[in-house]
Amino acid sequence: MDMGAWNDLKDNALCKEYHDCNVTIDGETFYHVGVRTKGNTTLIQSIVREWDRYSLVLNFGAFDKSQRYYGLDKVALNNNICDSNFIRDYLCCDMMREMNIPTPLCSFVQVTLNGEVIGLYTAVESLAESFALRNYVTQHGQLYKPEQMDIAGMITGKEKNASIHLSELSGEDGAVNACDFIGVDDKTVGLQYQGEDFSLYDAIWNNAVFKTGKKDKTRLINAIRTINESADASSALDTDTLLRYFAVNTFVLNDDCYTSYAGHNYGLYEKDGKLSLIPWDYDHALGCTGAANGTGNWTDYINTPIDEPLIDITLEERPLLRSLLANAENKVKYHAYLDEFLKSYIENGKYRQKVESVLAMIRPYFEIDPTSGVTAERFDAAVQSDMDFIALRAESIRGQLNGEIPTTRAGQAEHPETLVDCSGFVSPDSASLVELLLPKGSGLYIEDLVRTLVPQTDVLATVSIIPIGDLLSLVRTEDDGSEGMVDKLMQSGRIGDIEALEAAVKQLALRVILAIIEKLAAFIALAAALMVVIKADKNNRPRPIRRKERAKNAV
């Protein structure tokens, strides 16, 4: 790839625009492939850390629509910034395949740029046309990837349907609940019925794989209404596929998916008015972030009840799961699939064999990875953490299936003594959102977050989603003598250099002022131009002949 184009990709990483490159895979070269950055918080993390190690998307048909990689049109290259053992996404996908769920293909790649090693990545088949053809053949239905949390788009002005609350960064010990920090409207991605107006579901239509018409949209909205309002929603659900999907999803406790506060990171497949979900993005599963992200302690988290397998939300906010489990026969079958999964993949040790074989394959590449920043000790600790999580979660679910542990939150609150003790669980990848963005000991601070975003952002979009009071409080403390945000951030070590922070925020403020002046100047110039046109038009019109002139001319 031309290094100028690569630097442009990095300098404008938030824009996620495709650049031209050639891609060689196992010695075979494909020309004019599109490459762009990928991610939300992971993208912000990469920008703040000034990595070359961005998560990427390769689109083989970006510039030549007929080009494919053996049928594959797009592939995501994940940098595993939240996964210190690199295998979490791969392992969870393997679990889904074990339960015969249509699942993206997943493998490992060592990525090089012009011959220089960038690092070990996970390659995941994108939820695109090739995925639909491979899993559902040519008579497939509609495929969507509902998404409202485009943080990069929010900041660049492309999307503004969320808000970032910097004041949350000053929480005690930096432990910030992600859903408090990122305020999002998750009704659409949560599949809540909001009415017949198509525009209310743009978070779905804007991420459709295939062209959608009025009939497609009406059919999907009718299905969403059914799962929200009908006592029996079986007519709108691919019941068996969903029960198997939720059996695995319940086990791995992904806190960045449909069953979490985030509500996104899933594929939505609709055919003949029936809905099913497709797995996507599991680097936040198996104890990553988890309890340290504001959801409680590890014992409560790992014992999450199987009949309410939700993180920071209620069943009312996730009507597809609620309607699915409201049916007594479905719940019995769901429990049976959980039992089947434990027996066929966990309790018989199959997952350990899978982990051992994968680690043997990728460890040599991890050891020469120049950019991951993960030590061998952390790598091994992350592997052990995943194994511990799987063992504890399996013990809890087996206890719930056997009737020894309550399967609801109310029941567990009434009988906490029945829960599996997980107080000793440790995850090196568990952290608050602040620590994910600005990890302890990394030398990164709030000023780095602001400084690195300023050159890449649409400033008016930025101030429209970040409360202006938050920005102002970053350059001064409260006047009433109480501890302000800056004071709290200083105490928690989140600010390294107050002068550097003030300079970065002032730069952002200056860019806001200049942007406003520019827009005002453009408006004034437009108004002046219109006045000139109107005046010229008026001067060029024939002058009306007055009554006296007409009489004089008549004489």
Side-chain angles (χ1 to χ4, degrees):
M1 182 176 182
D2 177 79
M3 287 306 296
W6 175 254
N7 290 330
D8 184 64
L9 177 147
K10 293 192 299 178
D11 293 341
N12 299 283
L14 289 170
C15 296
K16 298 183 178 179
E17 294 179 350
Y18 280 114
H19 291 67
D20 194 349
C21 71
N22 299 330
V23 178
T24 300
I25 305 174
D26 295 335
E28 184 177 9
T29 300
F30 295 79
Y31 298 91
H32 301 299
V33 176
V35 59
R36 67 167 175 84
T37 52
K38 171 186 177 291
N40 282 301
T41 54
T42 54
L43 178 57
I44 303 298
Q45 288 172 266
S46 299
I47 292 172
V48 173
R49 300 182 195 189
E50 298 181 338
W51 274 9
D52 274 353
R53 190 192 183 89
Y54 290 95
S55 286
L56 302 168
V57 173
L58 295 181
N59 184 346
F60 293 92
F63 303 109
D64 177 359
K65 293 185 178 180
S66 67
Q67 182 170 236
R68 296 289 185 272
Y69 175 70
Y70 293 94
L72 183 68
D73 42 14
K74 293 181 183 178
V75 61
L77 302 178
N78 295 329
N79 64 4
N80 298 301
I81 196 170
C82 296
D83 185 358
S84 296
N85 62 29
F86 297 80
I87 67 172
R88 198 169 289 128
D89 205 8
Y90 177 91
L91 185 60
C92 290
C93 284
D94 195 62
M95 292 177 179
M96 286 288 181
R97 277 188 289 274
E98 175 70 22
M99 294 301 289
N100 296 315
I101 303 299
T103 303
L105 299 172
C106 186
S107 188
F108 298 92
V109 292
Q110 183 187 59
V111 179
T112 65
L113 172 67
N114 297 338
E116 296 293 327
V117 175
I118 295 180
L120 178 64
Y121 279 66
T122 304
V124 184
E125 176 187 21
S126 293
L127 299 183
E129 182 180 11
S130 59
F131 173 87
L133 291 172
R134 184 174 63 82
N135 288 279
Y136 308 109
V137 298
T138 55
Q139 300 302 313
H140 56 71
Q142 287 292 347
L143 178 59
Y144 309 90
K145 190 174 179 293
E147 182 60 76
Q148 90 292 348
M149 195 184 293
D150 185 2
I151 296 177
M154 286 157 35
I155 298 176
T156 54
K158 297 178 181 177
E159 299 286 344
K160 292 181 253 186
N161 56 350
S163 59
I164 295 177
H165 304 282
L166 293 180
S167 57
E168 296 292 338
L169 297 178
S170 58
E172 293 183 8
D173 301 322
V176 176
N177 190 317
C179 66
D180 292 333
F181 177 63
I182 303 174
V184 295
D185 181 2
D186 65 350
K187 289 183 179 179
T188 304
V189 296
L191 303 180
Q192 299 179 43
Y193 179 69
Q194 302 169 71
E196 298 298 315
D197 189 341
F198 288 166
S199 66
L200 297 171
Y201 304 89
D202 283 345
I204 296 177
W205 317 136
N206 292 345
N207 297 281
V209 172
F210 305 106
K211 184 178 180 180
T212 55
K214 183 177 179 180
K215 290 183 179 179
D216 300 309
K217 294 180 179 181
T218 300
R219 196 170 57 247
L220 181 58
I221 291 175
N222 286 340
I224 292 174
R225 179 174 58 188
T226 298
I227 64 175
N228 278 262
E229 298 178 354
S230 300
D232 181 7
S234 58
S235 64
L237 299 175
D238 181 352
T239 303
D240 190 66
T241 301
L242 284 168
L243 291 173
R244 286 183 278 114
Y245 169 90
F246 281 116
V248 178
N249 208 68
T250 292
F251 183 88
V252 301
L253 288 181
N254 183 8
D255 82 345
D256 193 21
C257 69
Y258 178 76
T259 51
S260 77
Y261 72 90
H264 64 167
N265 279 339
Y266 68 93
L268 176 63
Y269 182 69
E270 178 272 323
K271 186 175 183 182
D272 300 329
K274 288 183 178 287
L275 308 180
S276 61
L277 302 186
I278 297 167
W280 183 257
D281 200 354
Y282 282 87
D283 64 336
H284 278 204
L286 305 181
C288 175
T289 67
N293 209 24
T295 55
N297 61 51
W298 283 116
T299 295
D300 289 342
Y301 188 83
I302 297 178
N303 284 278
T304 294
I306 59 176
D307 290 345
E308 298 174 29
L310 303 160
I311 300 170
D312 280 357
I313 51 168
T314 66
L315 278 172
E316 292 301 313
E317 296 171 281
R318 296 295 179 262
L320 186 147
L321 178 61
R322 182 199 64 217
S323 61
L324 183 70
L325 297 185
N327 182 296
E329 291 183 5
N330 287 348
K331 185 173 289 187
V332 170
K333 196 170 184 180
Y334 163 65
H335 287 187
Y337 278 138
L338 278 167
D339 176 69
E340 177 185 332
F341 174 69
L342 290 181
K343 290 178 178 176
S344 67
Y345 197 86
I346 306 299
E347 293 171 339
N348 64 356
K350 184 175 181 178
Y351 78 96
R352 288 191 176 276
Q353 296 174 9
K354 176 63 68 172
V355 169
E356 289 172 1
S357 65
V358 170
L359 290 179
M361 177 176 64
I362 69 171
R363 190 180 289 274
Y365 296 94
F366 158 73
E367 291 174 349
I368 61 172
D369 191 320
T371 62
S372 73
V374 177
T375 64
E377 291 75 19
R378 185 181 178 92
F379 180 91
D380 292 335
V383 172
Q384 186 60 53
S385 175
D386 284 2
M387 297 300 96
D388 291 344
F389 179 94
I390 289 172
L392 291 168
R393 184 65 176 149
E395 183 181 353
S396 174
I397 291 180
R398 176 55 68 197
Q400 294 183 53
L401 292 174
N402 291 342
E404 300 161 0
I405 300 174
T407 61
T408 64
R409 295 191 184 280
Q412 290 189 1
E414 188 175 352
H415 298 285
E417 73 283 356
T418 64
L419 303 182
V420 175
D421 182 10
C422 305
S423 57
F425 176 77
V426 177
S427 170
D429 290 328
S430 175
S432 70
L433 191 61
V434 181
E435 290 167 338
L436 289 176
L437 291 171
L438 307 168
K440 291 180 180 179
S442 66
L444 297 173
Y445 302 97
I446 299 296
E447 54 266 33
D448 297 289
L449 176 63
V450 178
R451 176 182 57 79
T452 54
L453 292 180
V454 165
Q456 305 191 45
T457 60
D458 178 321
V459 291
L460 295 182
T462 303
V463 298
S464 72
I465 62 170
I466 299 177
I468 192 66
D470 281 3
L471 288 173
L472 292 175
S473 65
L474 288 175
V475 294
R476 61 180 176 82
T477 55
E478 299 295 328
D479 296 330
D480 60 6
S482 62
E483 283 190 337
M485 178 168 34
V486 173
D487 299 303
K488 293 178 181 178
L489 289 171
M490 290 281 287
Q491 293 172 11
S492 67
R494 297 298 172 193
I495 294 179
D497 185 341
I498 186 64
E499 293 183 358
L501 175 61
E502 290 185 352
V505 175
K506 287 177 180 177
Q507 183 186 1
L508 175 59
L510 177 61
R511 292 188 67 209
V512 171
I513 294 171
L514 292 175
I516 293 174
I517 292 175
E518 182 181 353
K519 290 187 179 297
L520 285 174
F523 176 77
I524 293 171
L526 177 62
L530 287 173
M531 291 295 293
V532 170
V533 171
I534 292 171
K535 187 175 182 179
D537 180 66
K538 184 177 181 181
N539 291 337
N540 291 331
R541 289 178 184 174
R543 185 173 61 87
I545 301 175
R546 294 174 181 167
R547 184 179 301 173
K548 289 182 179 181
E549 290 180 353
R550 285 200 299 269
K552 183 178 179 180
N553 291 337
V555 172

